[in-house]
Amino acid sequence: MSNLSVLYDAPGPRARRRNVYYAIGFLAVLVGGAWWLVSTLQDKGQLEWSQWEPFFTDSRVWTTFLLPGLENTLIAAGLSMAIALPLGALLGIGRLSDHWWVRVPAGAIVEFFRAIPVLLLMLFANEAYALWTDVDRSVRPLYAVVTGLVLYNASVLAEVVRAGVLSLPKGQADAARAVGMRKGQLMLYVLLPQAVTAMLPAIVSQLVVIVKDTALGGALLGYSELLGSVGLIDGNYANLLAAFAVVAVLYIVLNFLLTSFASWLEGRIRRGKRSTGAVLTTDMNEEMAMAGDVPGATDGAAGGGGPGRT
C-alpha cells in the first residue's frame, strides 16, 4: 500500500531534502533578523540596564503607574464582559425567535452595531454622555469605553450564540418538541447547554478582544488604562521601549490567564457531560424494588414469583 496522506501525497526523497533546505533557510533568516534587531537596540542604548532598572528597583513604577492602569483595564473589561455576555445571548436568542416582531429588531440591532468600529462607538458614547446626561467628567471615559465595548461585542457574541445553536443536529429540537417542550424550554434546557461547549472558544476569543480594546479608550478618551501608563512611565524615566515591553508582557499574562481558565472550564463541561446519567445496578434495582419504586418489581419481590403464592 502506498504511503499517502489524506490531503496530499507523502513527500519523496527530493521533496524531503527540499523541505530541509527551506527549514534551514527560514531559521537562518530568523536568526539574522533577531541578531539585527538586538544589535540595533544595543546601538540605540535600549538594552542598557538603566532602561530596565526602574521596573526592578523602583516600586513607584508599579504602584503609581502600572498597577492602577491594570486595575482600570480590569474594571472596564470586567464590566463589559458582565454586560455583553447576557446581552449577546439575549440578542442571539432573539434572532432565532419564531416571532418576526422579536427576530427583526434583534437582527437590526446586531447588524447595525456590528458594522460600526468600536472606536467610533466609544466616541459617540462619550459625546452622548457629555450632552445628554449628568455623568461626572472624571468617570465619563469609563462609561464611554464600557458602552462602546458592550454594544460592539454583544452584537458579535449574538452571532456566536446563533451560530452555535444552529450548528446542533435538528433531531435535538425535534425530540424536545416530541415530549411537549415549549420553545423557551427547548432553548434553555436542550439547545443552549449543548451549544455552549462549541461556542466557548469563540466566546473566549471575543473576551480577549474586549481586554485589548480597552486600550482604545486610553488612546483617544483619556481613560487611565494599562497602555496609557506607558506615556507616564516614559515621561518620568525616559524608557519608552522598556515600558512598552513590560506592558505587552502584562497583556500576554492577563490574556493567558483568561484563556487558561476558559480551557479548564471547557474541559470541566465536557467531563460533566460524559459523566451524566446514572446506571441502575442490580443492588440499586433491588433496593428500589423493596421500597416499591420500580413498577411491577414490588409484586414479584413480595409474592416470590407469582403463581405459587399462598
Side-chain angles (χ1 to χ4, degrees), residues 12 15 97 112-113 177 200 202 260:
S97 176
F112 178 78
F113 287 111
R177 293 190 185 97
L200 198 55
S260 298

Side-chain angles (χ1 to χ4, degrees), residues 4-248:
L4 298 178
S5 173
V6 177
L7 300 178
Y8 59 90
D9 292 340
R14 295 180 60 185
R16 287 197 295 267
R17 285 196 300 270
R18 188 168 57 248
N19 292 338
V20 171
Y21 296 150
Y22 289 157
I24 293 174
F26 173 77
L27 289 176
V29 172
L30 183 62
V31 171
W35 177 83
W36 173 83
L37 178 61
V38 171
S39 61
T40 302
L41 293 176
Q42 184 66 37
D43 294 339
K44 299 294 184 180
Q46 296 297 325
L47 299 182
E48 294 179 359
W49 173 244
S50 59
Q51 296 289 311
W52 304 87
E53 182 180 7
F55 299 102
F56 300 95
T57 60
D58 193 348
S59 61
R60 292 175 298 178
V61 177
W62 295 91
T63 58
T64 307
F65 305 116
L66 289 175
L67 292 181
L70 179 61
E71 180 183 5
N72 290 333
T73 293
L74 293 176
I75 290 174
L79 290 174
S80 301
M81 293 176 189
I83 301 173
L85 281 172
L87 181 59
L90 289 176
L91 290 173
I93 294 173
R95 296 204 68 177
L96 297 170
S97 176
D98 295 331
H99 306 288
W100 69 266
W101 48 270
V102 176
R103 183 177 61 255
V104 173
I109 292 173
V110 169
E111 295 299 332
F112 178 78
F113 287 111
R114 196 172 58 142
I116 301 177
V118 65
L119 182 58
L120 286 181
L121 291 176
M122 291 181 183
L123 293 175
F124 281 133
N126 188 59
E127 290 299 320
Y129 285 124
L131 294 176
W132 301 318
T133 67
D134 298 329
V135 176
D136 189 79
R137 187 173 182 177
S138 60
V139 296
R140 192 184 304 156
L142 173 62
Y143 279 62
V145 170
V146 172
T147 301
L149 291 175
V150 167
L151 293 176
Y152 177 78
N153 290 282
S155 301
V156 176
L157 291 172
E159 287 298 284
V160 172
V161 171
R162 185 172 73 95
V165 172
L166 292 179
S167 67
L168 296 175
K170 293 184 178 180
Q172 301 288 334
D174 295 338
R177 293 190 185 97
V179 298
M181 281 191 174
R182 297 188 297 272
K183 183 64 179 290
Q185 294 174 324
L186 165 65
M187 186 66 65
L188 184 61
Y189 298 113
V190 177
L191 298 181
L192 283 179
Q194 296 184 69
V196 67
T197 305
M199 295 186 298
L200 198 55
I203 292 175
V204 173
S205 298
Q206 204 60 37
L207 297 183
V208 171
V209 170
I210 290 177
V211 174
K212 294 187 294 185
D213 281 350
T214 56
L216 298 174
L220 291 180
L221 300 180
Y223 182 60
S224 301
E225 43 76 47
L226 182 57
L227 186 60
S229 63
V230 171
L232 299 176
I233 296 173
D234 179 54
N236 287 271
Y237 299 94
N239 55 351
L240 181 62
L241 185 61
F244 271 124
V246 172
V247 168

